[in-house]
Amino acid sequence: MKIEHLVILLPCQSLEDFQLDRNVRESEQILAAWAALWHPAVLKAAGKIPTWAPAEDPPHDLTGYLVMLPDSAANLVAQEWMLVAEDLECRIVGELRHRDEFVDAALAALDEPPPEFDPALVGDFYALGFGYLLVELLTRQLRYMSNLDEETFRKETLSAVEALYEGDVENARVRLQAAFDLLHEAREYFYPVEAHLLDLTLVARSTIGAALRAELASPEPTNLLLSAEVLEEMARREPETLTALLDALKDGSAAVVGGEFCERPFPLMPPEAILRQLQRGLAVYEKYLAQRPKCFARRQFGLSPRLPQILEKLQFTGALHFTLDDGSFPVGNQSRVLWQGFGAGAVEAVGRIPLDATQADAFLRFPENLGDWMDLDHAATVVLAHWPGQSSPWYHDLKRIADYTTVVGSFTTIANYFEETGYCSQQVGYTADQYRSPYLLQAVRAGRGDPISRWVRYYRRRAKLEAAENLDALAVLVAGKKGADQAMASSSENLADRKEQIEEQIEDLLLSSAESGEETATRDASLAEQLDSLLDVATRRLAASLSGQTTSEKGVLAVNPWSFAERRQVDISSLGRSPDVVEPVRAVDELANAALVDIPPMGFSWVGPGSGKTPATENAPSKRSWLRRKPAVEPPMAEELTLRNEFFEVKFDEHTGAIRSVFDYRTRGARLAQQLALRTPRGGPGDPGDDRHYSIMAADEIRIVSTGPMVAEMLCRGRLVDQQNHRLAGYQQTTRIRRGSRIIELLIDFDVDRMPQGNPWSSYYGMRLAWGDATANLYRSVNMANVPTEAVQIEAPHFVDIRSGESRTTVLAGGLPYHRRFGLRKLDTLLIVPGETARSFRLGIGIDVAHPMSAAIGFLSPEPMVAEVPAPPLPTGWLFHVGARNVIVTHWEPLLEGNRVVGVCGRLLETDGRRTRCPLRSFRPIAEAHRIVPATEPPPAVPVDGDTANVILDAHEWAEVELRFGG
């Protein structure tokens, strides 16, 4: 039977009501069936171009018909029609899925087998058919009627078929070009807006071979999402691919997007770690490509409001504001926006979520998506993402269409995209709560070891490394030159030569698939030894730099690497006599061989042997002693079920061992309560979190460990039991308070019998807090910024701050990143989830801590000190002073000319979210100061007054300032 008609039955009455949002199988069947009708042999046999018909109202005279029947339409076709079609020997092709299957079936229906054609030209006919369908659907999507010159389009298409059969390939392409031009004219008539197609090729270690080289050989522009780590692997293992990449970059057919060395969990990391990871990556790009990405991008979740400021600092001109794995992030209605995060930093960004180029449903929805974006978007943009060598036929059809016309958009590199388009003055500043990472759930599902405690180790290691870096910088600044003594000149102990390697180890251990086993334990021990050595060397260097005189009297030098003051307990066992209680010593506990010492920011305090005499006091007896008031007797720091100091009082429950209440001396009523529990939900992750889902604490022992006078401790030991009194775990909690400190320190140990199971956000061992004020607001740390939060699943490795009126209760997390809020008055800090091996934890609860970020850093910080140190010229002093307590210095670095110190460079971070005037004082006079702003000449000057530079910081700004010394 001769074929005279080509038709596909569709599950709709008109193209206006054709549902494009379908599953992958249905979408692939529809597109494959349509494409098969555009094979040149099928077109030649029919002498017509294909049409479509409603499945519920198919053609009745079926003589000479070749019908494509995808499953979604077959379900709507009447059984009687199918019987008639069989009687008339109508050729129906259905119950298939892939394009090749439909094409083979269509060709088998022909009277004669087709000749061998150039596969590229056959592909062009498929692309023409796909383009025709896209334009027809796009026309309806934009609420227009078709304006295509159907008759001329038919003639040009069939002329291309005839030319192909005659072997005139060049003429066939000319006729195809004419047909594509008619599609373009039809679309231009009703909507003359150009669309931009960004092809994003994802590159991993496993895809840097032949498949990637084939992608790079294509003339169509592509963008490679390529990390520096994978680029380094490419250079080592696949030099041919690197050569192909360099050639593609040179001719402009490819662009690289990325930026970091390897993808790290940025939302949970401090700004310095993010900056160094990007700097390390950019150095690798420069090394192998002689250029660096201008557009930041990453595949795994890792977006944060801190990023725009850092990207601007590193002179990125754009960013892709999306990721391709789990997690959630905000999406706007414009493809191109100005993305503003913390502070004044901003970067232009593409915010259009990519379509999966391997899935047919993305291409069936293509007209709908493109229509919406052309209708509403200032720069209509479609992003397609795929791995090398992995894509669908319709992705290649789209590329072939782009070779002939821009009817559905033109492929471009990201660099050209930012040059050719503009954003519509839409500046977006998304809040931290609009980003939610999948890290905890991913780690548990993947079976990674220690999904929680690895973060504690990470932050403790970083605190020790940064303390060593700061102390080393201070030692150089005090000495006035680098290599001032033999110790500082020793290359084996030069921190600057070793810190990059150590920091890489810290990052590698954070991302390791498991934190267990002999090999990892060896790495942990080695890293701990290196960090201790660095800190000790840096501390001794600073001590040596501060010793300006030789004296037989020696004492303990306590140093403070941070830009905020610390009150610290100092070991005085090396002293022959207890020190006098004079500045900087606040109190002495001879039994514990400890002194309470105040240490200025970026400074030191020296504690030497005392005079042996009782120091004079304000209450010393006078001749008129009868007029003297009787000195007040301070209550003990510890007594039965109670701990107290000058700021608060902690009461314990005699039955559970939990903290029943915390009182301050300014307000009435209990501030909060604390307990430990295993949570075992019954209603899944959305349950309300009432007490039925938690274990019960049962105390076996409560006793006082220390009564003061500087430190008081209460130990509570017991069991966690379920509602039927079955033991789930043993617990021990030591609660410690210090004289002069607003922090309650909690040392928690578990002996687990039953591990949590399932969703880690719903089943865990945790510390629970409850407070009385339902109107309290929660704040949390995000990349060292203090921001308000209304999230339920809270990620905050530094702190969570509970604010009620003038009262502030701060959970000092010590690197524990995951917290969950229930209702208005409860918060859980997650300690043990599936896969967690740690059983000991340390947290703090701050009572009315004014600046939680400083308290959180201090809580994580080591306490560097050196014994047997000669007395410096002054017993206490500071080297740099930051005049705004909501500002911390994240990095110090001496400015050198040769070996001579001429100034210092520091990065200042505003933490509390308010514009601030920050006087930055130096121990040496300042000749000039300026900000370091990329591509700004001359750099903006900072006003200087003697030894003070007055820096103005915006809310959450992270600024780099350079001070040059006078004289």
Side-chain angles (χ1 to χ4, degrees), residues 55 87 105 113 228 241 373 408 466 511 558 584 640 679 702 830 861 868 903 909:
D87 292 340
T241 306
W373 299 334
V408 292
E466 290 171 0
L511 293 183
E640 185 179 6
R679 186 168 191 273
I702 303 176
L830 280 61
S861 174
E868 300 292 328
L909 178 67

Side-chain angles (χ1 to χ4, degrees), residues 164-246:
L164 179 61
Y165 266 84
E166 293 169 2
D168 191 351
V169 173
E170 182 177 350
N171 188 39
R173 288 201 170 96
V174 170
R175 302 273 66 85
L176 282 170
Q177 181 65 64
F180 276 111
D181 289 343
L182 288 168
L183 293 178
H184 189 271
E185 289 172 9
R187 204 268 293 165
E188 284 281 302
Y189 178 83
F190 66 82
Y191 215 84
V193 173
E194 290 296 331
H196 306 275
L197 306 178
L198 294 175
D199 181 27
L200 191 62
T201 302
L202 314 177
V203 186
R205 290 173 180 266
S206 58
T207 63
I208 56 177
L212 180 56
R213 290 194 291 273
E215 295 275 345
L216 293 170
S218 171
E220 293 296 338
T222 188
N223 302 278
L224 271 62
L225 179 47
L226 174 66
S227 72
E229 182 183 41
V230 174
L231 176 61
E232 205 168 54
E233 179 77 3
M234 181 191 297
R236 184 184 65 82
R237 187 161 56 87
E238 295 284 353
E240 292 182 21
T241 306
L242 179 59
T243 300
L245 174 58
L246 289 169

Side-chain angles (χ1 to χ4, degrees), residues 19 62 145 163 165 184 246 438 475 496 556 572 649 670 698 833 866 902 910 926 962:
Q19 180 186 344
L62 296 174
M145 298 295 294
Y165 266 84
H184 189 271
L246 289 169
V556 179
I572 57 172
E649 185 173 89
V833 297
V866 185
V902 297
E910 198 288 317
I926 302 173
E962 187 176 282

Side-chain angles (χ1 to χ4, degrees), residues 657-786:
I659 295 179
R660 189 176 65 194
S661 56
V662 177
F663 299 87
D664 62 52
Y665 303 134
R666 300 183 301 106
T667 59
R668 298 179 61 184
R671 288 277 291 266
L672 78 156
Q674 177 267 344
Q675 63 178 249
L676 306 175
L678 166 65
R679 186 168 191 273
T680 52
R682 301 174 183 176
D687 61 41
D690 59 36
D691 290 341
R692 293 173 299 170
H693 301 146
Y694 290 90
S695 61
I696 302 168
M697 291 179 73
D700 296 327
E701 177 188 9
I702 303 176
R703 63 183 174 88
I704 297 171
V705 177
S706 173
T707 59
M710 287 196 308
V711 179
E713 292 184 3
M714 186 78 71
L715 183 144
C716 302
R717 183 183 289 117
R719 294 156 289 121
L720 301 182
V721 298
D722 61 17
Q723 301 292 331
Q724 290 74 40
N725 202 35
H726 297 143
R727 175 183 154 118
L728 303 171
Y731 78 86
Q732 177 177 300
Q733 177 172 300
T734 300
T735 305
R736 177 184 297 158
I737 65 172
R738 301 176 187 269
R739 182 75 66 187
S741 173
R742 292 184 174 274
I743 296 173
I744 304 168
E745 185 179 357
L746 303 175
L747 305 176
I748 299 168
D749 293 276
F750 289 100
D751 176 19
V752 174
D753 296 337
R754 184 191 298 179
M755 280 294 291
Q757 296 180 350
N759 188 328
W761 283 106
S762 299
S763 180
Y764 49 81
Y765 284 92
M767 182 192 77
R768 304 189 67 200
L769 288 184
W771 55 94
D773 186 0
T775 66
N777 296 313
L778 260 61
Y779 287 70
R780 64 176 171 124
S781 61
V782 177
N783 302 132
M784 297 179 69
N786 189 356

Side-chain angles (χ1 to χ4, degrees), residues 301 303 323 325-330 433-438:
F301 184 88
L303 301 178
T323 54
D325 70 343
D326 300 328
S328 62
F329 50 85
D433 279 357
Q434 292 177 276
Y435 301 87
R436 192 174 71 186
S437 86

Side-chain angles (χ1 to χ4, degrees), residues 854-922:
S854 298
I857 295 172
F859 189 72
L860 280 163
S861 174
E863 298 182 344
M865 61 188 73
V866 185
E868 300 292 328
V869 176
L874 294 172
T876 184
W878 52 264
L879 303 174
F880 294 93
H881 184 270
V882 178
R885 294 187 178 183
N886 57 316
V887 175
I888 60 174
V889 178
T890 62
H891 178 71
W892 282 117
E893 184 176 346
L895 295 176
L896 302 172
E897 290 183 357
N899 282 336
R900 187 172 65 90
V901 174
V902 297
V904 65
C905 181
R907 287 192 279 271
L908 279 64
L909 178 67
E910 198 288 317
T911 62
D912 283 353
R914 52 191 174 89
R915 184 176 171 84
T916 300
R917 176 182 174 274
C918 177
L920 179 59
R921 293 186 65 190
S922 168

